Amino acid sequence: MTDVEEKTRDISKAEVDRFLFGKHITGCPVCGRFRSQCDVDVHKLTCQRSSPTSTAPVDVLMIVCQNCGAIQFHDRNVIAHWLDCQHKVWVK
């Protein structure tokens, strides 16, 4: 997968849930409500790095708790890589 493909890869809400639960993020860090009772909104954003050594944009997912409005940011490429690593390869 090239960098361009990685940046444009769509990540579904179900995949975001798999990533969060896979990382044991099962509750909102602010209100503490368990995620099965607290749905989230997922938004795609591109942010500019503030580092003087790298000005490359970063594609992130903004995850918003529908219960309290708390916001988390996760790098889309990190999530996509983690999801791709979860696929099992069956060898015959």
Side-chain angles (χ1 to χ4, degrees):
M1 184 178 288
T2 67
D3 287 340
V4 173
E5 289 174 28
E6 251 185 63
K7 289 181 181 180
T8 59
R9 182 191 190 287
D10 284 332
I11 298 174
S12 70
K13 194 171 182 178
E15 289 177 315
V16 169
D17 282 338
R18 277 185 40 222
F19 171 77
L20 293 173
F21 274 101
K23 294 293 185 179
H24 305 291
I25 304 172
T26 57
C28 175
V30 176
C31 69
R33 192 162 179 189
F34 187 67
R35 292 247 344 227
S36 67
Q37 300 168 358
C38 177
D39 205 3
V40 295
D41 289 322
V42 179
H43 306 276
K44 292 186 266 186
L45 300 171
T46 300
C47 300
Q48 194 67 33
R49 292 181 193 267
S50 63
S51 170
T53 58
S54 176
T55 58
V58 179
D59 291 323
V60 297
L61 290 180
M62 182 174 77
I63 302 169
V64 182
C65 173
Q66 288 182 347
N67 184 53
C68 71
I71 298 172
Q72 295 178 33
F73 293 96
H74 293 277
D75 187 322
R76 283 178 58 197
N77 292 329
V78 170
I79 294 174
H81 180 70
W82 185 89
L83 290 166
D84 292 342
C85 289
Q86 302 308 304
H87 293 278
K88 292 183 179 180
V89 177
W90 298 99
V91 180
K92 291 183 179 186

